[in-house]
Amino acid sequence: MQQNTLSGRLILADVARGFALLTMAIYHFSWDLSWFGVVGWDVSGSPGWRLFAQLIAGSFLFLVGFSLVLAHKNGIRWESFWRREIKVAIAAIAVSVVTYFIFQEQWVRFGILHSVVVSSLFALPFLRVHFVFALLCGAGVILLCLWIGDYVLPYRQFFWLGLNSLPEISVDYVPLIPWFGPVLLGVGCGDILHRYDLLRLLRGSASPGVVSRCFAWFGRHSLATYLLHQPILFGVVWAGVTAGVIGASAGDVSVSSFQQSCVAACSQSADAGQCKQACQCTSSELMSRGVWEDLLAGPDEPDVREIAEQVFLVCLRRRTE
């Protein structure tokens, strides 16, 4: 996801992209192990894991904004820009289609690639302003997310902004608020280096080491790496579980037990197929909210039960709409 108008590669920028992709692969592999119950890690809901995921997404989007400066600061090259936009948009659509069949209710409606497409377009005007304005706007978007808190607009159409009326239950959800913020921060930082002739510092050594060259290679092929790494990792874990090489953990047993009880109760008044999907959606959403461990520790706690019931009703309603 990079473009460059300078003569010669800025290898350190490529290395940074490669490193961001490595951390993303580590997170996704951990998520895959958790999804199949191989480990008991709460990858979706644990504060530490969630912070790790947010830092990865933020760094990835920061580099998107930075790369826009490298490619278009001296004048937007529209042919190159639209070629890249179309390529990423097609990849985003492919991710949505594939995840719809694999994860059903949790399919990717607006993930990081969707966010890259829209953010890249919205960031273009900021290439023509002073870096202070871009940095302030970037920080403002992030602070806006903290300020509005749980406020939402009563229209589902605003889900891509992060202001939808119902929580988005998805394996990858990256709305513009707050994630357009890191893109603008990347634009602002890129402009600083551009204005003060500091981009040359990113050229690195004339003879980079093997590790740097490896990271740089993946960084130069970031879109292909992003698209291929998760299917490969997911397939490896699936194959290992299917072949019995790796087994499920106690965490998987607790999830199965919850879903079986949930389906049994739901099926009394609703379609069993819809109940199964709604219960899967409920357990995943409770994990993403960090409530899952509380539910296991105190299933009779009124506050915890109320949250679980509200999440279940949202999941079930979305299945019956």
Side-chain angles (χ1 to χ4, degrees):
M1 299 182 182
Q2 73 288 333
Q3 308 269 355
N4 195 345
T5 60
L6 301 177
S7 58
R9 299 293 309 185
L10 299 181
I11 189 170
L12 294 185
D14 292 332
V15 168
R17 294 188 196 94
F19 184 77
L21 288 165
L22 174 63
T23 57
M24 185 175 290
I26 292 172
Y27 176 81
H28 283 157
F29 186 60
S30 302
W31 189 93
D32 295 340
L33 293 173
S34 176
W35 173 268
F36 283 102
V38 177
V39 297
W41 308 334
D42 185 9
V43 177
S44 298
S46 169
W49 279 107
R50 295 187 71 176
L51 176 61
F52 184 44
Q54 290 167 354
L55 290 174
I56 294 169
S59 64
F60 199 79
L61 290 166
F62 176 91
L63 290 169
V64 167
F66 192 88
S67 296
L68 283 173
V69 176
L70 300 185
H72 305 291
K73 185 62 180 178
N74 293 327
I76 299 175
R77 299 182 295 144
W78 289 108
E79 182 179 353
S80 173
F81 175 80
W82 286 117
R83 183 167 59 247
R84 172 184 174 275
E85 281 284 279
I86 292 172
K87 186 186 301 183
V88 180
I90 291 173
I93 293 171
V95 168
S96 292
V97 172
V98 171
T99 55
Y100 179 82
F101 289 102
I102 296 177
F103 300 110
Q104 298 183 358
E105 183 64 25
Q106 299 179 64
W107 66 285
V108 177
R109 297 166 178 81
F110 197 83
I112 194 164
L113 291 182
H114 304 73
S115 191
V116 167
V117 172
V118 179
S119 294
S120 296
L121 186 61
F122 286 0
L124 288 182
F126 291 89
L127 297 177
R128 294 290 169 266
V129 301
H130 196 277
F131 63 81
V132 171
F133 185 73
L135 292 175
L136 288 176
C137 287
V141 173
I142 297 173
L143 292 175
L144 176 63
C145 179
L146 300 176
W147 178 67
I148 62 177
D150 296 328
Y151 174 78
V152 295
L153 295 176
Y155 306 102
R156 285 295 303 277
Q157 294 89 335
F158 289 99
F159 75 97
W160 57 281
L161 281 175
L163 297 175
N164 52 307
S165 58
L166 290 175
E168 285 301 315
I169 302 170
S170 172
V171 295
D172 185 27
Y173 179 48
V174 188
L176 293 189
I177 300 175
W179 296 107
F180 185 46
V183 175
L184 293 182
L185 294 180
V187 171
C189 290
D191 187 33
I192 292 175
L193 297 187
H194 183 273
R195 284 176 182 268
Y196 298 104
D197 193 28
L198 297 175
L199 287 175
R200 52 188 171 79
L201 299 177
L202 299 181
R203 295 190 189 281
S205 170
S207 301
V210 175
V211 175
S212 295
R213 290 201 301 270
C214 182
F215 276 118
W217 187 88
F218 284 106
R220 288 195 296 270
H221 302 86
S222 55
L223 180 58
T225 302
Y226 176 85
L227 290 175
L228 293 176
H229 84 276
Q230 175 62 333
I232 293 173
L233 294 174
F234 191 87
V236 167
V237 178
W238 173 84
V241 171
T242 302
V245 177
I246 51 180
S249 69
D252 186 54
V253 174
S254 65
V255 173
S256 298
S257 177
F258 169 85
Q259 292 180 357
Q260 289 173 5
S261 300
C262 176
V263 172
C266 172
S267 299
Q268 309 259 341
S269 57
D271 176 76
Q274 293 177 340
C275 286
K276 181 178 180 181
Q277 294 180 0
C279 290
Q280 291 173 343
C281 160
T282 301
S283 60
S284 297
E285 178 62 10
L286 290 175
M287 290 180 186
S288 69
R289 293 189 181 194
V291 182
W292 180 251
E293 295 298 329
D294 294 336
L295 180 64
L296 295 182
D300 295 323
E301 289 291 330
D303 292 341
V304 176
R305 287 184 64 85
E306 181 178 358
I307 294 174
E309 289 171 1
Q310 289 176 350
V311 171
F312 170 75
L313 290 176
V314 170
C315 289
L316 182 61
R317 183 163 67 248
R318 293 178 65 176
R319 292 309 308 165
T320 57
E321 285 180 349

